Amino acid sequence: MKNEKSYSESVKSLSMSEMKNDAVVQEMLIDMIIQEAVLTTKKNLLAKQIDDALDMKNKPLFLKLSSEMNVLLKQFGN
C-alpha cells in the first residue's frame, strides 16, 4: 500500500511551502528597499559634496568626487 498524505496534510504542506516562498520574496523586497535607500543617501551626499567643490572652485576634489559618483552609478546601473 502506498504511503499517501491525506488531503488536509497535502494542503497543510502546500500552505507551509507557500509561506516559506512568501517569506523569501518578502526578505528580497526588504533588501532591495534597504539597498535603494543606501544608494540614494550616497548619491545625495556625493552630489552635495560635488556642488560644494564647485562652489569652492576645487577642481581636484571635484574630479575625485565625480569619479566616485560615476563608479557608484555604474555599480547600481543608474
Side-chain angles (χ1 to χ4, degrees):
M1 184 171 193
K2 292 182 181 178
N3 186 11
E4 295 183 13
K5 293 182 180 179
S6 69
Y7 176 76
S8 62
E9 289 173 334
S10 295
V11 170
K12 183 178 179 182
S13 176
L14 180 60
S15 178
M16 293 299 290
S17 175
E18 287 176 358
M19 286 174 45
K20 287 179 185 175
N21 288 341
D22 288 347
V24 169
V25 170
Q26 189 175 30
E27 186 176 317
M28 288 172 57
L29 289 172
I30 290 169
D31 188 51
M32 288 172 62
I33 291 168
I34 291 170
Q35 292 299 324
E36 182 70 23
V38 168
L39 171 63
T40 301
T41 300
K42 285 181 179 180
K43 282 173 40 179
N44 290 341
L45 179 61
L46 272 173
K48 174 151 181 18
Q49 291 173 332
I50 289 169
D51 288 344
D52 291 344
L54 286 170
D55 290 343
M56 295 183 302
K57 298 180 182 353
N58 186 337
K59 185 175 180 178
L61 181 59
F62 167 78
L63 293 174
K64 176 184 173 286
L65 295 171
S66 296
S67 177
E68 289 178 25
M69 179 69 88
N70 287 333
V71 169
L72 185 68
L73 295 176
K74 284 180 185 176
Q75 282 180 325
F76 291 96
N78 290 341

